[in-house]
């Protein structure tokens, strides 16, 4: 099939689950036993180049099948689309998906359906970047500001960011991009690591992993908190002693608290100089975050991995509720909505430090931070991408961390593709891993 | 099986869709062609009484299968539960469902998973009320305040409503309940009707239906607006002329506008004395609603049918964003979460006027307003329940409207059960209606 007439011919979905709960990797105050999972989608075309587009939503186990069903419900919007038009304007599909008048009722723009849209939209960007022969960060950084503005849905955010303001931010953002590109390729983008700080790890493991993090060049680590205050005080003391006064120590409550608890608990940890308190309460509580931020300063307030769309981020910024915007590559409706969120953060002068970890979230979100550095914020100061050393081996082009920095990907695409043998092994429930292990499988049947 | 040892033995789900888009019933500025649908669940037990619990989530067509898959994902939490314990404390299941540490990731507390929880929780309340031999409104109004407080999850709302404050509201709310019960049984609860005002109806149909509404005793009607300003001006003029100056005329934009559009459009309709503007913008936009309310007074601002949980309602009230709280029986996590929302509204002195219509939403929500009248707000002043004359014939105990009022149901339960023959006919895609009509079926394949 010639490139000009090629179409999307298949939207394949996969329910992929990893048994991470066995090791307490990823354990925190709200998620004691996650089985890191992905509702994974592959777009195939009849183009001669053979390129596919890969995307996924991250979940933590049960319900991954619901997420797959939601991606399946979008298939009719995608099948038959002309590939060239689609890749020249991923926003065209993005708009159709968020505007489906019947599916919209299931959100609107939140939860399972919205995450499914994110998976599909990200798969289109993966395909577009592969066809362009560029890593996604470069495709975005090379794009014209006018085109990027055209990829954004401004509905419900014009009171904080107009298309004209977005265009202005992108035009100014490009200035000096060449010098930054050279530095990015040489040095990478700063990372911080959460690997030492899972709630299920004992103090010895925390000590060992925190020391290793500093030795590995990380200038920030993060500890999960919120289950027991005495434990948290002890763990923060241990961590601070290991990393010394100059490495930043962030803490993360994973939505555990009410507003007043969040304030009291954060103040009780203030002696250990936490850099930020992350997800102190419900991600829906804009006013609650604002109240917490006023009370716990100079400790910064960070949130975003569960903030479900640009409208809530807009309000978080309008209300002065956040010091740090934590985008997630797979929670909102994909690259298009994250472009809006990056620009909202820039408009309010708030740094973006992405959430990552899980399955493949590091692989995806590094592209967005690198674009932010090159074309929007223009700086890496106070910007770090979360890094967790989990499950990267399942990806064809896993992230490369060097001296506490994400190395800029060079392979074309969005770094989203998993290894075929991993897909085969961890498909639930029929993959070779799960089929061989009926006891573990049972935990996945709610 | 004796009552004491009976358990939940089945959680049956049904994908039920009605082809309402053919008649433009239900058409509005955001939902031009809804096919009103229900993801329907039946709890069966091995108790000798043979009672079942029925519940559902309302959707508007495509994606109803995703909603069914989400209910299916909850089955493991429900099967095997002792019936007597469950019905004595529906909150025990409600808490387990919203706290499932893996499923929670798919929200949290929003969208498809949260609506699925609402369907299951409401089915438990239906079962509990049937076993008690009472309509749900009566079961709730007869309950002790302490027990009702125990049915509420206060997480994330204690900064606006503590358990002690809730208890106090419920204790004071009961005063004079006997007199109100007598009035309720005699007169019913006031309704307003949206049936004249769908966007797809021409002026003749609007005129005819508006005149009939007034003749039928309704003191408020509602018009859909937001697609075209000139049309809206004309339709509001027509409606106001038909109903006269004393019948309230509400308008509903179904989230169509940005904040500044909402303000300008509402002001352009102010000459027709609209009582409230409903869903002027995104249901997520607390601060946007507050800005609109400040600008359009004395026109009131109403919202809630898409407000996804108690945390967003809390903020709407804290921010002074709403004059009218529009609860929906099937959007949030069922009766338990709606108890919290009714009490939040009472705490802030804001009247509750439920959203209804769709499939069976009138049948469900009347119980909550009647409870509110008897045991919380103590008044029907400025309180009306939406009424739409659609699809009631599919229910075993449909609502009864008399002289513009909902008659208090007398049958035990939550009025949720659909007729078996309707379930059989409108099951998608295998029911006799859809199987016979492949052309219509196609519109349901996105």
């Amino acid at each position: 099939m010639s490139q000009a007439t090629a179409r999307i011919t298949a939207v394949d979905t996969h329910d992929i689950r990893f048994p991470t709960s066995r090791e307490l990797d990823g354990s925190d105050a709200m998620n004691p036993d996650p089985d890191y999972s992905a509702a994974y989608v592959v777009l195939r075309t009849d183009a001669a180049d053979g390129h596919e587009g890969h995307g996924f939503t991250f979940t933590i186990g049960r319900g991954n099948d619901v997420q797959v069903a939601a991606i399946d419900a979008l298939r009719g919007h995608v099948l038959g689309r002309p590939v060239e038009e689609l890749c020249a304007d991923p926003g065209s599909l993005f708009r159709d998906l968020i505007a489906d008048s019947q599916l919209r009722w299931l959100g609107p723009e939140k939860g399972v359906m919205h995450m499914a849209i994110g998976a599909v939209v990200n798969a289109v960007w993966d395909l577009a970047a592969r066809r362009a022969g560029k890593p996604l960060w470069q495709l975005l950084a090379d794009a014209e500001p006018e085109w990027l503005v055209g990829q954004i849905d401004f509905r419900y955010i014009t009171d904080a960011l107009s298309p004209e303001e977005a265009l202005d931010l992108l035009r100014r953002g490009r200035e000096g991009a060449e010098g930054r590109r050279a530095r990015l390729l040489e040095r990478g983008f700063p990372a911080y690591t959460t690997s030492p700080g899972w709630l299920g790890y004992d103090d010895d493991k925390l000590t060992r992993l925190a020391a290793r993090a500093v030795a590995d060049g990380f200038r920030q680590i993060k500890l999960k908190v919120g289950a027991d205050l005495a434990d948290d005080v002890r763990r923060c003391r241990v961590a601070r002693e290991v990393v010394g006064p100059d490495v930043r120590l962030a803490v993360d409550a994973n939505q555990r608290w009410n507003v007043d608890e969040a304030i009291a608990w954060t103040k009780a940890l203030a002696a250990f100089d936490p850099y930020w308190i992350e997800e102190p309460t419900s991600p829906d509580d804009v006013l609650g975050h604002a109240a917490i931020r006023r009370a716990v300063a100079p400790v910064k307030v960070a949130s975003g991995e569960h903030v479900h769309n640009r409208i809530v981020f807009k309000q978080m910024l309008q209300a002065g509720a956040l010091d740090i915007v934590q985008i997630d590559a797979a929670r909102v409706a994909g690259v298009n909505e994250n472009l809006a969120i990056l620009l909202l953060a820039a408009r309010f002068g708030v740094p973006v430090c992405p959430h990552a970890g899980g399955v493949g979230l590091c692989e995806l979100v590094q592209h967005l931070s690198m674009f932010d550095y090159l074309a929007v914020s223009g700086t890496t100061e106070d910007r770090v991408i979360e890094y967790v050393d989990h499950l990267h081996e399942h990806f064809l082009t896993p992230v490369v961390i060097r001296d506490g920095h994400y190395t800029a990907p060079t392979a074309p695409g969005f770094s989203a593709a998993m290894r075929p043998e991993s897909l085969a092994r961890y498909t639930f429930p029929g993959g070779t891993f799960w089929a061989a292990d009926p006891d573990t499988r049972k935990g996945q049947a709610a």
Side-chain angles (χ1 to χ4, degrees), chain A residues 94 114 152-154 157 161 166 169 303-304 307-314 316-317 322 324-329 331-353 368 371-372 376:
Chain A
F94 160 71
H114 205 54
I152 293 171
D153 182 6
F154 287 91
I157 60 171
L161 179 73
L169 284 169
S303 189
V307 170
H308 57 269
N309 63 31
R310 70 198 175 286
I311 306 154
V312 184
F313 273 114
K314 175 193 76 169
M316 288 279 191
L317 292 162
L322 295 182
I324 311 281
V325 163
Q326 298 182 301
I327 61 168
D328 179 289
R331 169 72 55 184
V332 301
V335 171
N336 299 77
E337 189 160 26
N338 267 320
L339 289 174
I341 296 164
L342 289 175
L343 289 166
L344 280 165
R347 172 88 176 71
F348 285 86
V350 174
V352 174
C353 299
L368 301 178
F371 162 73
D372 184 42
V376 183

Side-chain angles (χ1 to χ4, degrees), chain A residues 382-397:
Chain A
D382 292 334
R383 270 81 174 168
V384 276
I385 307 171
E386 184 167 22
Y387 174 67
V388 187
D389 190 9
H390 283 167
L391 305 171
H392 301 287
E393 66 274 20
H394 300 293
F395 286 81
L396 284 170
T397 55

Side-chain angles (χ1 to χ4, degrees), chain A residues 75-292:
Chain A
R75 184 172 282 119
H77 282 288
V78 186
L79 279 180
R81 292 242 174 189
V83 176
E84 201 163 301
E85 281 174 52
L86 178 61
C87 291
D89 181 15
S92 59
L93 176 64
F94 160 71
R95 279 174 221 275
D96 287 352
L97 293 178
I98 63 172
D100 181 300
S101 69
Q102 295 190 354
L103 292 175
R104 194 177 179 282
W105 193 269
L106 302 179
E109 303 195 50
K110 59 178 63 71
V112 166
M113 279 314 308
H114 205 54
M115 290 161 72
I117 291 172
V120 171
V121 167
N122 282 345
V124 171
W125 284 97
D126 183 53
L127 178 63
R130 284 166 190 275
R131 287 170 56 96
K134 296 179 180 182
L136 182 73
W137 63 264
Q138 190 184 333
L139 180 146
L140 292 172
D142 289 347
E144 291 300 321
E146 291 77 5
W147 183 84
L148 288 167
V149 169
Q151 293 302 304
I152 293 171
D153 182 6
F154 287 91
R155 176 168 271 184
Y156 304 137
I157 60 171
T158 52
D159 52 332
L161 179 73
S162 69
E164 297 70 30
E165 289 166 328
L167 189 60
D168 188 50
L169 284 169
L170 286 162
R171 282 183 179 149
R172 282 190 285 126
R174 312 179 92 178
E175 292 164 17
E178 278 315 304
R180 289 194 295 279
R181 185 178 298 216
R183 283 195 293 282
L184 175 68
L185 290 169
E186 189 198 327
R187 185 75 175 114
F189 195 101
Y192 77 92
T193 178
T194 306
S195 291
W198 300 109
L199 214 51
Y201 290 178
D202 63 26
D203 289 359
D204 283 350
K205 192 163 182 179
L206 166 59
T207 300
R208 193 170 71 247
L209 293 176
R212 189 198 298 168
V214 176
D216 286 348
F218 292 101
R219 307 297 300 156
Q220 177 175 328
I221 69 167
K222 188 167 80 185
L223 259 59
K224 300 292 184 176
V225 298
D228 180 277
L229 181 57
D231 280 348
D232 288 347
V233 167
R234 195 192 68 250
R235 293 168 63 250
C236 282
R237 178 176 296 122
V238 167
R240 178 54 79 196
E241 278 169 9
V242 173
V243 303
D246 297 332
V247 169
R248 286 176 176 170
L249 177 64
V251 295
D252 181 356
N254 290 89
Q255 314 168 26
R256 183 60 185 257
W257 303 316
N258 291 333
V259 172
D260 53 352
E261 293 174 292
I263 292 168
W265 203 299
T266 303
K267 287 185 170 179
L269 299 179
F272 309 105
D273 189 22
Y275 182 61
W276 76 50
I277 172 65
E278 178 172 334
E279 289 203 306
T281 189
S282 165
D284 294 345
D285 199 348
V286 172
L287 301 178
H289 278 83
I292 293 165

Side-chain angles (χ1 to χ4, degrees), chain A residues 426-446:
Chain A
Y426 292 101
T427 290
F428 185 85
T432 49
F433 173 82
W434 294 103
D437 196 342
D439 278 351
T440 306
R441 199 164 68 235
K442 227 177 297 174
Q444 282 300 303

